[in-house]
Amino acid sequence: MSRKYFGTDGVRGRVGEFPITPEFAMKLGWAAGRVLSQRGTRKVLIGKDTRISGYLLETALEAGLIAAGIDVRLLGPMPTPAVSYLTHTFRAEAGIVISASHNPYYDNGIKFFSANGSKLDDEIERAIEAELEQPMVCETSEKLGKAQRIEDASGRYIEFCKSHLPKHMSLSNFKIVLDCANGATYHIAPNVFKELGAEVQTIACSPNGLNINEKCGATHTAALQQAVVELGADLGIAYDGDGDRVMMVDHTGRQIDGDEIIYMLARSAKERNRLTGGVVGTLMSNMGLELALADLGIPFARSSVGDRYVMEMLLEKGWRIGGENSGHVLNLDHAGTGDGIIASLQVLASMIDTGLSLADLSHGMTKLPQVLVNVKFEKGTAPLENLHVKEVIAGVEAELAGQGRVLIRKSGTEPLIRVMVEGREQQQVQDFADKIAAAVKLAS
Protein backbone atom coordinates (compact mmCIF):
# COMPACT_ATOMS: atom_id res chain seq x y z
CA MET A 1 0.00 0.00 0.00
CA SER A 2 1.45 3.40 -1.00
CA ARG A 3 1.87 6.14 1.56
CA LYS A 4 -0.17 9.32 1.33
CA TYR A 5 1.98 11.74 3.34
CA PHE A 6 5.36 10.11 3.94
CA GLY A 7 7.90 10.32 1.13
CA THR A 8 11.41 8.88 0.97
CA ASP A 9 12.47 11.14 3.83
CA GLY A 10 9.45 11.79 6.02
CA VAL A 11 6.78 14.42 5.39
CA ARG A 12 8.09 17.43 3.50
CA GLY A 13 6.81 20.50 1.67
CA ARG A 14 6.55 24.28 1.61
CA VAL A 15 5.76 25.90 4.94
CA GLY A 16 2.18 27.13 5.15
CA GLU A 17 1.03 24.76 2.42
CA PHE A 18 -0.46 21.38 3.26
CA PRO A 19 0.92 19.22 4.78
CA ILE A 20 3.51 21.55 6.38
CA THR A 21 0.98 23.52 8.40
CA PRO A 22 0.59 23.88 12.19
CA GLU A 23 -2.74 22.05 12.08
CA PHE A 24 -1.33 19.04 10.28
CA ALA A 25 1.84 18.99 12.39
CA MET A 26 -0.23 18.81 15.57
CA LYS A 27 -2.40 16.04 14.11
CA LEU A 28 0.73 14.20 12.94
CA GLY A 29 2.25 14.44 16.42
CA TRP A 30 -0.97 13.08 17.90
CA ALA A 31 -1.25 10.25 15.35
CA ALA A 32 2.39 9.28 15.83
CA GLY A 33 1.90 9.36 19.59
CA ARG A 34 -1.12 7.08 19.34
CA VAL A 35 0.71 4.53 17.16
CA LEU A 36 3.95 4.62 19.12
CA SER A 37 2.18 4.36 22.48
CA GLN A 38 0.71 1.04 21.34
CA ARG A 39 4.31 -0.16 21.11
CA GLY A 40 5.15 1.00 24.61
CA THR A 41 6.48 4.45 23.72
CA ARG A 42 6.05 7.13 26.35
CA LYS A 43 9.05 9.38 25.54
CA VAL A 44 9.89 11.11 22.24
CA LEU A 45 12.80 13.44 21.42
CA ILE A 46 12.36 16.42 19.06
CA GLY A 47 15.27 18.13 17.32
CA LYS A 48 15.30 20.67 14.49
CA ASP A 49 17.57 22.56 12.15
CA THR A 50 17.89 26.36 12.09
CA ARG A 51 15.10 27.39 9.70
CA ILE A 52 12.64 29.87 11.17
CA SER A 53 9.60 27.60 10.77
CA GLY A 54 11.14 25.12 13.21
CA TYR A 55 9.67 27.05 16.13
CA LEU A 56 6.16 26.73 14.71
CA LEU A 57 6.36 23.03 13.85
CA GLU A 58 8.15 22.10 17.07
CA THR A 59 5.36 23.63 19.16
CA ALA A 60 2.63 21.99 17.08
CA LEU A 61 4.22 18.55 17.24
CA GLU A 62 4.79 18.94 20.96
CA ALA A 63 1.10 19.73 21.52
CA GLY A 64 -0.04 16.74 19.48
CA LEU A 65 2.29 14.31 21.22
CA ILE A 66 1.32 15.56 24.67
CA ALA A 67 -2.37 15.24 23.75
CA ALA A 68 -1.68 11.57 22.94
CA GLY A 69 -0.07 11.06 26.36
CA ILE A 70 3.57 11.17 25.21
CA ASP A 71 6.38 12.83 27.18
CA VAL A 72 8.47 15.15 24.99
CA ARG A 73 12.17 15.98 25.30
CA LEU A 74 13.24 19.07 23.32
CA LEU A 75 16.78 19.14 21.90
CA GLY A 76 16.71 22.48 20.08
CA PRO A 77 18.85 22.92 16.92
CA MET A 78 20.59 19.60 16.38
CA PRO A 79 21.91 17.70 13.33
CA THR A 80 19.73 14.86 12.10
CA PRO A 81 22.34 12.17 12.98
CA ALA A 82 22.58 13.68 16.47
CA VAL A 83 18.86 13.14 17.00
CA SER A 84 19.31 9.54 15.85
CA TYR A 85 22.16 9.03 18.34
CA LEU A 86 20.45 10.82 21.23
CA THR A 87 17.19 8.92 20.71
CA HIS A 88 19.15 5.75 21.36
CA THR A 89 21.26 7.04 24.26
CA PHE A 90 18.34 8.65 26.10
CA ARG A 91 16.43 5.40 25.64
CA ALA A 92 13.53 7.19 24.06
CA GLU A 93 11.33 5.03 21.91
CA ALA A 94 11.31 7.54 19.03
CA GLY A 95 12.95 10.71 17.79
CA ILE A 96 11.61 13.42 15.49
CA VAL A 97 13.66 15.76 13.30
CA ILE A 98 12.14 18.97 11.93
CA SER A 99 14.19 19.67 8.82
CA ALA A 100 14.09 19.89 5.05
CA SER A 101 17.77 18.96 4.85
CA HIS A 102 19.39 20.71 1.85
CA ASN A 103 16.22 22.56 0.75
CA PRO A 104 15.72 26.37 1.07
CA TYR A 105 14.43 27.94 4.30
CA TYR A 106 10.83 28.17 3.06
CA ASP A 107 10.58 24.37 2.95
CA ASN A 108 10.47 22.12 5.98
CA GLY A 109 9.85 18.52 6.87
CA ILE A 110 9.21 16.07 9.67
CA LYS A 111 10.92 12.69 9.91
CA PHE A 112 11.01 10.02 12.57
CA PHE A 113 13.62 7.72 14.08
CA SER A 114 12.92 4.48 15.91
CA ALA A 115 14.24 3.55 19.35
CA ASN A 116 17.50 2.20 17.90
CA GLY A 117 18.15 5.39 15.92
CA SER A 118 17.14 4.05 12.50
CA LYS A 119 14.39 5.50 10.32
CA LEU A 120 10.89 4.21 10.98
CA ASP A 121 9.77 1.10 9.13
CA ASP A 122 7.26 1.59 6.32
CA GLU A 123 4.76 -0.42 8.37
CA ILE A 124 4.80 2.12 11.21
CA GLU A 125 4.58 5.06 8.81
CA ARG A 126 1.51 3.48 7.23
CA ALA A 127 -0.02 2.94 10.68
CA ILE A 128 0.53 6.65 11.47
CA GLU A 129 -1.13 7.60 8.19
CA ALA A 130 -4.11 5.41 9.04
CA GLU A 131 -4.40 7.10 12.45
CA LEU A 132 -4.36 10.51 10.74
CA GLU A 133 -7.71 9.64 9.18
CA GLN A 134 -9.27 9.31 12.63
CA PRO A 135 -10.71 12.24 14.63
CA MET A 136 -8.23 13.69 17.12
CA VAL A 137 -9.12 12.88 20.71
CA CYS A 138 -7.19 14.33 23.64
CA GLU A 139 -6.24 12.13 26.58
CA THR A 140 -7.73 13.00 29.94
CA SER A 141 -5.67 15.43 32.04
CA GLU A 142 -4.04 12.81 34.24
CA LYS A 143 -2.77 10.95 31.15
CA LEU A 144 -1.33 13.92 29.28
CA GLY A 145 2.38 13.94 28.49
CA LYS A 146 4.93 16.45 29.77
CA ALA A 147 7.67 18.45 28.03
CA GLN A 148 11.25 19.07 29.13
CA ARG A 149 14.26 20.68 27.43
CA ILE A 150 17.53 18.70 27.41
CA GLU A 151 20.27 21.24 28.12
CA ASP A 152 23.40 19.13 27.53
CA ALA A 153 22.37 17.52 24.23
CA SER A 154 25.02 19.27 22.12
CA GLY A 155 27.83 18.36 24.54
CA ARG A 156 26.86 14.71 24.48
CA TYR A 157 26.88 14.61 20.69
CA ILE A 158 30.21 16.47 20.43
CA GLU A 159 31.85 13.84 22.63
CA PHE A 160 30.27 11.08 20.54
CA CYS A 161 31.72 12.56 17.35
CA LYS A 162 35.18 13.00 18.89
CA SER A 163 35.22 9.35 19.93
CA HIS A 164 35.36 8.36 16.24
CA LEU A 165 38.88 9.69 15.78
CA PRO A 166 41.28 7.15 17.34
CA LYS A 167 42.73 8.40 20.64
CA HIS A 168 46.31 8.28 19.39
CA MET A 169 45.44 10.71 16.58
CA SER A 170 45.31 14.50 16.67
CA LEU A 171 44.23 17.10 14.12
CA SER A 172 46.84 19.58 15.33
CA ASN A 173 48.63 19.58 11.96
CA PHE A 174 45.50 20.51 10.00
CA LYS A 175 44.09 23.87 8.99
CA ILE A 176 40.45 23.22 8.12
CA VAL A 177 37.69 25.45 6.74
CA LEU A 178 34.21 24.38 7.82
CA ASP A 179 31.05 25.38 5.93
CA CYS A 180 28.09 24.65 8.20
CA ALA A 181 25.42 25.80 5.69
CA ASN A 182 24.04 28.15 8.38
CA GLY A 183 22.39 24.99 9.59
CA ALA A 184 22.23 22.57 12.48
CA THR A 185 25.98 21.82 12.69
CA TYR A 186 26.89 25.48 13.34
CA HIS A 187 27.43 24.96 17.10
CA ILE A 188 28.64 21.36 16.83
CA ALA A 189 31.19 20.88 14.06
CA PRO A 190 33.55 23.78 14.94
CA ASN A 191 33.80 22.53 18.53
CA VAL A 192 34.44 18.93 17.44
CA PHE A 193 37.37 19.88 15.22
CA LYS A 194 38.81 22.50 17.59
CA GLU A 195 38.73 20.10 20.53
CA LEU A 196 40.55 17.53 18.40
CA GLY A 197 43.33 20.06 17.83
CA ALA A 198 42.63 21.50 14.38
CA GLU A 199 43.01 25.14 13.40
CA VAL A 200 39.47 25.94 12.30
CA GLN A 201 38.09 28.69 10.09
CA THR A 202 34.33 28.83 9.52
CA ILE A 203 32.00 30.17 6.86
CA ALA A 204 28.18 30.05 6.75
CA CYS A 205 28.13 29.52 10.48
CA SER A 206 25.73 32.31 11.53
CA PRO A 207 22.16 31.10 11.09
CA ASN A 208 19.34 33.65 11.16
CA GLY A 209 16.44 31.35 10.27
CA LEU A 210 16.39 32.40 6.62
CA ASN A 211 19.93 31.76 5.32
CA ILE A 212 20.13 27.98 5.75
CA ASN A 213 21.66 26.35 2.61
CA GLU A 214 21.70 29.74 0.85
CA LYS A 215 24.63 29.55 -1.61
CA CYS A 216 26.57 27.51 0.93
CA GLY A 217 26.90 24.05 2.39
CA ALA A 218 27.17 20.67 0.70
CA THR A 219 24.97 21.70 -2.23
CA HIS A 220 26.87 24.93 -3.01
CA THR A 221 30.59 24.53 -2.36
CA ALA A 222 31.95 27.42 -4.47
CA ALA A 223 32.45 29.71 -1.45
CA LEU A 224 34.22 26.94 0.46
CA GLN A 225 36.46 26.13 -2.50
CA GLN A 226 37.49 29.78 -2.72
CA ALA A 227 38.06 30.05 1.03
CA VAL A 228 40.29 26.97 1.18
CA VAL A 229 42.58 28.33 -1.53
CA GLU A 230 42.65 31.90 -0.21
CA LEU A 231 43.35 30.83 3.38
CA GLY A 232 45.92 28.20 2.40
CA ALA A 233 43.99 25.51 4.26
CA ASP A 234 44.72 21.80 4.08
CA LEU A 235 41.12 21.03 3.26
CA GLY A 236 37.53 22.19 3.55
CA ILE A 237 34.43 20.39 4.76
CA ALA A 238 30.84 21.33 3.90
CA TYR A 239 27.72 19.97 5.56
CA ASP A 240 24.13 20.49 4.52
CA GLY A 241 21.43 22.14 6.62
CA ASP A 242 20.78 19.15 8.86
CA GLY A 243 24.28 17.66 8.88
CA ASP A 244 23.69 14.27 7.30
CA ARG A 245 25.48 15.15 4.05
CA VAL A 246 29.13 16.04 3.59
CA MET A 247 31.27 17.31 0.73
CA MET A 248 35.00 17.96 1.01
CA VAL A 249 37.46 20.26 -0.76
CA ASP A 250 41.16 19.49 -1.18
CA HIS A 251 43.94 22.08 -0.82
CA THR A 252 43.76 22.91 -4.55
CA GLY A 253 40.09 23.83 -4.27
CA ARG A 254 38.74 20.71 -5.96
CA GLN A 255 35.45 19.34 -4.66
CA ILE A 256 35.44 15.77 -3.35
CA ASP A 257 31.90 14.35 -3.54
CA GLY A 258 30.12 11.50 -1.80
CA ASP A 259 31.22 8.86 -4.31
CA GLU A 260 34.88 9.76 -3.78
CA ILE A 261 34.49 9.78 0.00
CA ILE A 262 32.87 6.34 -0.13
CA TYR A 263 35.73 5.09 -2.33
CA MET A 264 38.37 6.38 0.09
CA LEU A 265 36.64 4.83 3.10
CA ALA A 266 36.14 1.48 1.38
CA ARG A 267 39.75 1.34 0.18
CA SER A 268 41.03 2.25 3.64
CA ALA A 269 38.86 -0.43 5.26
CA LYS A 270 40.09 -3.05 2.77
CA GLU A 271 43.74 -2.10 3.33
CA ARG A 272 43.23 -2.58 7.08
CA ASN A 273 41.35 -5.88 6.55
CA ARG A 274 38.23 -4.32 8.06
CA LEU A 275 35.95 -4.29 5.03
CA THR A 276 32.89 -6.50 5.36
CA GLY A 277 31.57 -7.55 1.95
CA GLY A 278 31.24 -4.70 -0.50
CA VAL A 279 29.82 -1.23 -1.05
CA VAL A 280 26.26 -0.09 -1.74
CA GLY A 281 25.70 2.95 -3.94
CA THR A 282 22.57 4.11 -5.72
CA LEU A 283 21.32 4.44 -9.26
CA MET A 284 22.90 7.92 -9.20
CA SER A 285 26.37 6.74 -8.16
CA ASN A 286 29.03 7.54 -10.76
CA MET A 287 30.14 4.63 -12.90
CA GLY A 288 33.68 5.63 -12.01
CA LEU A 289 33.06 4.47 -8.43
CA GLU A 290 31.93 1.07 -9.64
CA LEU A 291 34.99 0.69 -11.90
CA ALA A 292 37.45 1.86 -9.20
CA LEU A 293 36.03 -0.55 -6.63
CA ALA A 294 36.19 -3.37 -9.17
CA ASP A 295 39.91 -2.66 -9.62
CA LEU A 296 40.29 -3.24 -5.86
CA GLY A 297 38.21 -6.41 -5.96
CA ILE A 298 35.43 -4.81 -3.93
CA PRO A 299 31.84 -5.83 -4.86
CA PHE A 300 29.42 -2.99 -5.65
CA ALA A 301 25.61 -2.92 -5.69
CA ARG A 302 23.11 -0.17 -6.51
CA SER A 303 19.98 0.58 -4.50
CA SER A 304 17.14 2.97 -5.27
CA VAL A 305 17.95 6.64 -4.65
CA GLY A 306 17.66 7.63 -0.98
CA ASP A 307 19.80 6.82 2.03
CA ARG A 308 17.00 4.71 3.54
CA TYR A 309 17.25 2.35 0.55
CA VAL A 310 21.05 2.24 0.82
CA MET A 311 20.58 1.27 4.47
CA GLU A 312 18.06 -1.44 3.59
CA MET A 313 20.44 -3.01 1.08
CA LEU A 314 23.40 -2.81 3.48
CA LEU A 315 21.40 -4.65 6.14
CA GLU A 316 20.13 -7.18 3.61
CA LYS A 317 23.66 -7.99 2.40
CA GLY A 318 25.39 -7.64 5.75
CA TRP A 319 27.73 -4.99 4.32
CA ARG A 320 28.83 -1.86 6.22
CA ILE A 321 29.77 0.96 3.80
CA GLY A 322 27.54 2.77 1.31
CA GLY A 323 25.97 6.06 0.39
CA GLU A 324 25.15 8.57 -2.31
CA ASN A 325 27.15 10.94 -4.49
CA SER A 326 25.20 13.80 -2.89
CA GLY A 327 27.19 13.25 0.31
CA HIS A 328 25.11 10.81 2.35
CA VAL A 329 27.80 8.44 3.63
CA LEU A 330 27.00 5.38 5.70
CA ASN A 331 29.54 3.37 7.66
CA LEU A 332 27.65 1.14 10.05
CA ASP A 333 30.83 0.38 12.00
CA HIS A 334 30.69 4.00 13.21
CA ALA A 335 27.09 5.26 13.08
CA GLY A 336 23.63 3.87 12.46
CA THR A 337 22.68 6.61 10.00
CA GLY A 338 24.38 9.00 7.59
CA ASP A 339 26.53 11.39 9.63
CA GLY A 340 28.49 14.14 7.89
CA ILE A 341 30.78 14.96 10.80
CA ILE A 342 31.71 11.34 11.51
CA ALA A 343 32.28 10.60 7.80
CA SER A 344 34.68 13.55 7.50
CA LEU A 345 36.55 12.41 10.63
CA GLN A 346 36.99 8.97 9.07
CA VAL A 347 38.59 10.58 6.00
CA LEU A 348 40.90 12.61 8.23
CA ALA A 349 41.89 9.46 10.12
CA SER A 350 42.83 7.86 6.80
CA MET A 351 44.88 10.94 5.88
CA ILE A 352 46.78 10.67 9.18
CA ASP A 353 47.28 6.91 8.73
CA THR A 354 48.71 7.26 5.23
CA GLY A 355 50.39 10.66 5.53
CA LEU A 356 48.66 11.68 2.30
CA SER A 357 46.89 14.92 1.48
CA LEU A 358 43.18 14.74 0.63
CA ALA A 359 44.06 15.33 -3.03
CA ASP A 360 46.45 12.36 -3.07
CA LEU A 361 44.15 10.15 -1.00
CA SER A 362 41.36 10.57 -3.56
CA HIS A 363 43.55 9.30 -6.43
CA GLY A 364 42.51 5.94 -7.84
CA MET A 365 38.98 6.85 -8.83
CA THR A 366 38.21 8.70 -12.06
CA LYS A 367 34.67 9.94 -12.38
CA LEU A 368 32.92 9.64 -15.72
CA PRO A 369 31.26 12.84 -16.96
CA GLN A 370 27.79 12.96 -15.41
CA VAL A 371 25.17 15.68 -15.86
CA LEU A 372 22.08 16.11 -13.70
CA VAL A 373 19.29 18.46 -14.84
CA ASN A 374 16.27 19.14 -12.63
CA VAL A 375 12.98 19.93 -14.38
CA LYS A 376 10.00 21.27 -12.45
CA PHE A 377 6.66 19.68 -13.27
CA GLU A 378 3.09 20.66 -12.48
CA LYS A 379 1.02 18.55 -10.14
CA GLY A 380 -1.37 16.35 -12.08
CA THR A 381 0.98 15.89 -15.03
CA ALA A 382 2.90 12.71 -15.79
CA PRO A 383 5.75 13.70 -18.09
CA LEU A 384 7.50 10.36 -17.75
CA GLU A 385 4.47 8.67 -19.32
CA ASN A 386 4.60 10.97 -22.36
CA LEU A 387 5.29 9.11 -25.62
CA HIS A 388 7.64 11.79 -26.99
CA VAL A 389 9.68 11.77 -23.76
CA LYS A 390 10.01 7.99 -23.97
CA GLU A 391 11.14 8.22 -27.60
CA VAL A 392 13.80 10.84 -26.80
CA ILE A 393 15.14 8.73 -23.91
CA ALA A 394 15.27 5.63 -26.11
CA GLY A 395 17.13 7.59 -28.78
CA VAL A 396 19.75 8.82 -26.33
CA GLU A 397 20.27 5.33 -24.93
CA ALA A 398 20.78 4.00 -28.45
CA GLU A 399 23.43 6.65 -29.19
CA LEU A 400 25.26 5.88 -25.93
CA ALA A 401 25.49 2.28 -27.13
CA GLY A 402 26.37 0.82 -23.74
CA GLN A 403 29.07 3.40 -23.02
CA GLY A 404 26.96 5.33 -20.52
CA ARG A 405 23.71 5.46 -18.58
CA VAL A 406 20.43 7.39 -18.57
CA LEU A 407 18.40 7.67 -15.37
CA ILE A 408 15.13 9.59 -15.18
CA ARG A 409 13.24 9.74 -11.89
CA LYS A 410 10.88 11.82 -9.80
CA SER A 411 12.36 13.49 -6.74
CA GLY A 412 11.07 12.05 -3.49
CA THR A 413 11.17 15.45 -1.76
CA GLU A 414 10.43 18.11 -4.41
CA PRO A 415 8.18 18.51 -7.53
CA LEU A 416 11.10 17.77 -9.83
CA ILE A 417 11.99 15.29 -12.53
CA ARG A 418 15.70 14.50 -12.25
CA VAL A 419 17.40 13.80 -15.58
CA MET A 420 20.81 12.15 -15.25
CA VAL A 421 23.03 11.20 -18.17
CA GLU A 422 26.48 9.65 -17.83
CA GLY A 423 29.01 8.83 -20.54
CA ARG A 424 32.56 9.11 -21.80
CA GLU A 425 32.48 12.66 -23.23
CA GLN A 426 31.38 15.74 -21.25
CA GLN A 427 29.83 17.72 -24.11
CA GLN A 428 27.92 14.74 -25.45
CA VAL A 429 26.55 13.98 -21.99
CA GLN A 430 25.48 17.62 -21.52
CA ASP A 431 23.75 17.70 -24.91
CA PHE A 432 21.90 14.47 -24.21
CA ALA A 433 20.75 15.65 -20.75
CA ASP A 434 19.54 18.98 -22.16
CA LYS A 435 17.69 17.17 -24.95
CA ILE A 436 15.80 14.91 -22.54
CA ALA A 437 15.14 17.79 -20.11
CA ALA A 438 13.61 19.85 -22.91
CA ALA A 439 11.27 16.99 -23.80
CA VAL A 440 10.26 16.56 -20.15
CA LYS A 441 9.62 20.30 -19.77
CA LEU A 442 7.44 20.32 -22.88
CA ALA A 443 5.37 17.45 -21.46
CA SER A 444 4.98 19.02 -17.98
Side-chain angles (χ1 to χ4, degrees), residues 288-302:
L289 172 61
E290 185 172 1
L291 295 173
L293 291 173
D295 287 342
L296 297 175
I298 298 175
F300 179 74
R302 294 180 186 269

Side-chain angles (χ1 to χ4, degrees), residues 7 50 128 132 158 185 214 220 236 250 263 265 312 360 370 397 403 416 428 433:
T50 57
I128 292 172
L132 281 165
I158 287 169
T185 61
E214 184 179 11
H220 299 89
D250 69 23
Y263 169 73
L265 297 184
E312 287 175 4
D360 290 336
Q370 185 184 83
E397 289 177 330
Q403 297 299 303
L416 298 173
Q428 181 190 52

